[in-house]
Amino acid sequence: MDLYRLALKPLHLLEAEDAHAATILALKSGLGPRSSYDPPELRTEIAFTGGALAVRNCVGLAAGFDKNADVPLAMSRAGFGFVECGTVTPLPQAGNPRPRLFRLSEDEAVINRMGFNNKGLEVFASHLERYQGRASAPVLGANIGANKDATDRMADYVTGLKRLWGLSSYFTANISSPNTPGLRALQGRAHLDELLGQIAATRADLVRVTGNNYPIFLKIAPDLSEEEIADAVEAALAHGLDALIVSNTTIERPGSLHSALATETGGLSGAPLFGLSTSALRSAYKAAAGRLTLIGAGGIASGADAYAKIRAGASLVQLYSALVYKGPGLIDEIKRDLVQRLRADGLTHISQAVGSAA
């Protein structure tokens, strides 16, 4: 019996954001599940200049669940191969007014307009410092963003990179949230080149001073055109980034939605995002032509979904919203199903399936 799945019913009696806070508190108290299932078929790594980021399995936790890096070790113990925390901004930020998080239960979807609510870089950094030198340290990514009221949003990404350098396993520049006005404009090629140029220059300085290098990813929206996705790929390559995460939430509202909450503003995630995000992933894989690692996110709720992302071009996958409806047992379910699908296709490692259906 999956006790954690049974716990979803009382949690769903709470307002969505309160339920999330209760979940984080329970995890901080040591009540989270533990998994030891890490099949060798799913071990993988992302190569970058000066090294490789190795993960014990290709299934990761997407940003948004653990905004302040409160429970990365708990989520790693639950079975994720890597855990992305944030989005964190330089200064603490309250985010948008509540309510701002909505369950679309009929659609197994979520709409959020959180607005990068977080406790800021200093708290985030203090939490990451707990893991320095520990053998049990999780593979942990820092998803960095800009404060809503920043006069120079590009400088905020540089600030985040500098403050957290040496504390996380990798970094993700989040320019694709729909809940900070004007943020998605950074995805335009001219703005993107300027931002990534600043990130690349900062990285070079940090590598020179510290002697350490870390992978840097870019997270894009699923609402971009094929041409815009190709531009994002070329910009990432031009400035030496190591992977593209495809994708963030969508501002679109598919006609298939049934929930009365579907009209709420914000980013839509969960099952209805799967088709759009996977289409964007295919476009990115075509544009990258093997030159850039891709990470598939958006709508993954089963092993079949994860395998479809991998066959569309993703080397790793991330999920979050499906946990709201299926609980943490889903993590191992996906890993076991991936192994079965690899064997059914006569494959011995997940890397052999990447892009096989693109």
Side-chain angles (χ1 to χ4, degrees), residues 12 14-16 100-113 250-273 321-322 324-325:
H12 282 204
L14 300 174
E15 192 270 339
R100 54 192 179 180
L101 183 64
F102 307 91
R103 300 186 203 95
L104 282 63
S105 299
E106 301 92 327
D107 306 295
E108 291 196 354
V110 172
I111 289 175
N112 92 82
R113 51 172 180 264
T250 180
I251 56 174
E252 298 295 325
R253 295 293 183 268
S256 60
L257 295 177
H258 296 96
S259 173
L261 297 172
T263 57
E264 293 287 349
T265 59
L268 173 72
S269 60
L273 177 57
S321 295
V324 173
Y325 298 102

Side-chain angles (χ1 to χ4, degrees), residues 35-327:
S35 167
S36 58
Y37 180 65
D38 283 305
E41 295 95 328
L42 302 185
R43 293 175 188 161
T44 191
E45 62 182 30
I46 295 179
F48 63 97
T49 302
L53 176 67
V55 297
R56 67 178 198 267
N57 72 71
C58 62
V59 182
L61 176 65
F65 177 85
D66 190 4
K67 290 179 177 290
N68 298 302
D70 285 310
V71 291
L73 183 56
M75 297 311 288
S76 178
R77 287 172 174 164
F80 283 114
F82 60 108
V83 175
E84 189 164 314
C85 299
T87 299
V88 61
T89 56
L91 300 176
Q93 187 162 273
N96 294 320
R98 294 181 63 169
R100 54 192 179 180
L101 183 64
F102 307 91
R103 300 186 203 95
L104 282 63
S105 299
E106 301 92 327
D107 306 295
E108 291 196 354
V110 172
I111 289 175
N112 92 82
R113 51 172 180 264
M114 304 298 287
F116 284 175
N117 59 305
N118 72 101
K119 296 179 180 178
L121 272 176
E122 291 309 314
V123 169
F124 194 95
S126 70
H127 291 173
L128 299 195
E129 286 165 355
R130 303 169 184 165
Y131 304 107
Q132 295 306 292
R134 289 176 56 174
S136 61
V139 176
L140 190 157
N143 185 297
I144 56 177
N147 281 111
K148 179 180 179 180
D149 298 329
T151 56
D152 184 349
R153 285 183 173 171
M154 293 187 188
D156 277 10
Y157 291 89
V158 170
T159 299
L161 198 62
K162 287 180 176 178
R163 180 65 184 90
L164 301 176
W165 195 258
L167 296 178
S168 63
S169 309
Y170 70 89
F171 295 87
T172 297
N174 183 1
I175 59 171
S176 49
S177 170
N179 301 316
T180 297
L183 187 74
R184 283 191 170 192
L186 293 176
Q187 294 177 115
R189 185 59 192 268
H191 291 304
L192 192 54
D193 276 324
E194 184 179 355
L195 172 64
L196 298 188
Q198 291 188 27
I199 288 175
T202 302
R203 179 193 211 175
D205 288 342
L206 289 166
V207 171
R208 185 171 59 253
V209 171
T210 67
N212 297 318
N213 197 4
Y214 303 93
I216 300 179
F217 308 157
L218 177 69
K219 188 168 186 174
I220 64 171
D223 309 307
L224 301 178
S225 67
E226 191 168 342
E227 293 75 19
E228 289 170 327
I229 291 172
D231 277 346
V233 167
E234 294 303 327
L237 287 165
H239 297 285
L241 268 68
D242 304 289
L244 204 65
I245 300 179
V246 189
S247 64
N248 211 319
T249 59
T250 180
I251 56 174
E252 298 295 325
R253 295 293 183 268
S256 60
L257 295 177
H258 296 96
S259 173
L261 297 172
T263 57
E264 293 287 349
T265 59
L268 173 72
S269 60
L273 177 57
F274 180 80
L276 181 60
S277 61
T278 306
S279 177
L281 177 62
R282 290 192 195 97
S283 295
Y285 185 75
K286 177 182 176 182
R291 298 173 295 162
L292 185 66
T293 298
L294 302 176
I295 299 170
I300 295 173
S302 66
D305 293 339
Y307 199 51
K309 294 281 191 188
I310 290 161
R311 297 186 73 231
S315 294
L316 303 96
V317 296
Q318 291 180 317
L319 62 100
Y320 167 18
S321 295
L323 298 176
V324 173
Y325 298 102
K326 299 190 175 183

